[in-house]
Amino acid sequence: MDDATLPSWRDTPTRRAIEAFVTGVATGPDAVPAEERVAVFDNDGTLWTEKPMPTQLHYVVERWREVALADPSLADTQPYRAAVTGDLAWLGAAVEKHYAGDDSDLGTIIAALVGLTDGLDVEQYAAAVSAFFRTARHPVLHRPYTELVYQPMVELLRYLERHGFTCYIVSGGERDFLRPLTQSIYGIPPERVVGSALGLTYDEATGSVRYSPALAFFDDGPEKPVRIWSRIGRRPLLAAGNSNGDMPMLDHARRGPRRGLALLIHHDDHDRDDAPYDAGADKALAAARERGYTVVSVRDDWASVFPAPS
Amino acid sequence: MDDATLPSWRDTPTRRAIEAFVTGVATGPDAVPAEERVAVFDNDGTLWTEKPMPTQLHYVVERWREVALADPSLADTQPYRAAVTGDLAWLGAAVEKHYAGDDSDLGTIIAALVGLTDGLDVEQYAAAVSAFFRTARHPVLHRPYTELVYQPMVELLRYLERHGFTCYIVSGGERDFLRPLTQSIYGIPPERVVGSALGLTYDEATGSVRYSPALAFFDDGPEKPVRIWSRIGRRPLLAAGNSNGDMPMLDHARRGPRRGLALLIHHDDHDRDDAPYDAGADKALAAARERGYTVVSVRDDWASVFPAPS
């Protein structure tokens, strides 16, 4: 293989396994028709950084802060207090309570979350998200989020497309938060962004589609293969993720009639990645060998992590 | 315009309005970027015939008949009795009761409907649907359903694509019933088929996606613009339908920032169409002038209706 095709990948067994799979799907006696070459990618932690917090949480906390500034009576109630003080530990504790079976604080978060878009039409929300990305900076790396994509994965998207694949994002994050920027940062258009969704309603008076104050579904774990079928109607040949919640999607691709390739990004680099971690990926890493996941080591397999500063 | 581009359309003001709109979107000072040229098409009654009954009803009644033959104790209960006797009036009456506020019989129908796919994986259902279409014949016209597409509309799909449009089906009918055949009869791949949906669940044991015994949503009326946004993330520039349930989709396209084109197929041909009708389209036809729908008369605007027999 030509080094130039995946320049940010080191010449390791991982890269060679990817190249062998893609070449086998695209050419030769076992080639798959181009229209069936579908690849799906988790977003947070797979295509861009998700530490110290998912980008959407940064956006949401900023909006909550604005709400509390406009209505100071809210500043002593959660989640606005966390947003105003910048003490986000309460948010993390609410998620932990959820996993312990107590959804009281998570319910408070979701109500405040869906309140931010309630009544907006989809074009208004897209404009608000686009405005955020024009100025927001990563709190640790101090670069625009739009520059904190994983360069080797962007190269992999293009490499797959050159071999006839169609690539989709399948994010646990919220779909319409990503759609305004995926074309410019990943080369993936909005119709190929799958993700968690806010409720929608048609507004007869204006002919617009607006958000309702509800979550429609949370696109994680077993919901990912369901959303993939709903949106695409094909089983992927390649899936890439980085967490336990990606396991059903990885297994779904892996266990198709044509054995797919399942890539599991392992954030094991203590120098170049923003925050090495196994938390939330422990089950996937432990099961990788048995389930046939190809583990991608940030430390060993990637020659560079982020694009060079522009 | 070159007659050859839409050979099954007569040279009428309707055809000239379509050509003027498409040319204006694709070229000249007001052209729209190609990626935003999205067109959406209802299916039953817009892209193919829906009379005397929607094709999917033919499929479902055949399956119910098989169920009743395998378990004769069911043959005296509805909807199996209707399927076995061929007396489908009970089904029509159930729908009328629904509109009168009584969902008891419709509930029976839906339970029997979702029972047909309950537990099947998506590939198994696709195979069953494909087998049906290999042998099924239209009960009046005695041709395969796959030949009973509206030839002028198929030409319009190709004409739009030549002008950079991406075309989607947005059907009130069930999505996965259509997906196996839309590529061959319309040139539209499964990922661009939007429609009503059965519930789906991920089967951890096999890595497959299976149907659950429930309807996820009914893609008609105000749900159509909602599903369009969910699936595509863009507002269509052109929408085509033939019934009252298409009005929100037509209005959504028509009332965008770039005034879209809304086509309303009017089944007014008493000789060549299988069954001329206004029922179910009365509100749309009455509102056409006020809402700016371009009415397509089967009788006056189409030089031919179906493809020549093969």
Side-chain angles (χ1 to χ4, degrees), chain A residues 8-48:
Chain A
S8 300
W9 291 72
R10 294 203 175 101
D11 184 16
T12 62
T14 305
R15 192 184 98 177
R16 290 194 289 273
I18 294 170
E19 290 169 336
F21 178 82
V22 171
T23 308
V25 164
T27 58
D30 297 327
V32 175
E35 62 270 22
E36 293 172 22
R37 294 178 210 156
V38 168
V40 291
F41 290 82
D42 170 61
N43 185 50
D44 291 313
T46 298
L47 292 180
W48 72 0

Side-chain angles (χ1 to χ4, degrees), chain A residues 221-262:
Chain A
E223 188 71 10
K224 286 201 172 192
V226 164
R227 303 315 311 170
I228 288 169
W229 182 263
S230 300
R231 291 286 299 277
I232 310 174
R234 305 184 191 268
R235 189 194 283 246
L237 282 174
L238 187 154
N242 77 306
S243 74
N244 301 336
D246 294 317
M247 294 175 70
M249 174 172 85
L250 298 180
D251 296 337
H252 183 56
R254 182 84 182 130
R255 299 178 69 181
R258 164 92 184 214
R259 219 168 165 71
L261 183 67

Side-chain angles (χ1 to χ4, degrees), chain A residues 78-133:
Chain A
Q78 293 289 17
Y80 305 101
R81 185 166 62 202
V84 170
T85 62
D87 175 12
L88 302 184
W90 180 84
L91 297 170
V95 173
E96 281 177 32
K97 280 174 73 171
H98 160 71
Y99 285 118
D102 175 357
D103 274 354
S104 53
D105 286 349
L106 192 67
T108 301
I109 291 176
I110 290 175
L113 179 73
V114 300
L116 292 175
T117 41
D118 182 17
L120 289 187
D121 72 35
V122 291
E123 287 90 356
Q124 288 168 329
Y125 181 42
V129 169
S130 297
F132 168 79
F133 279 107

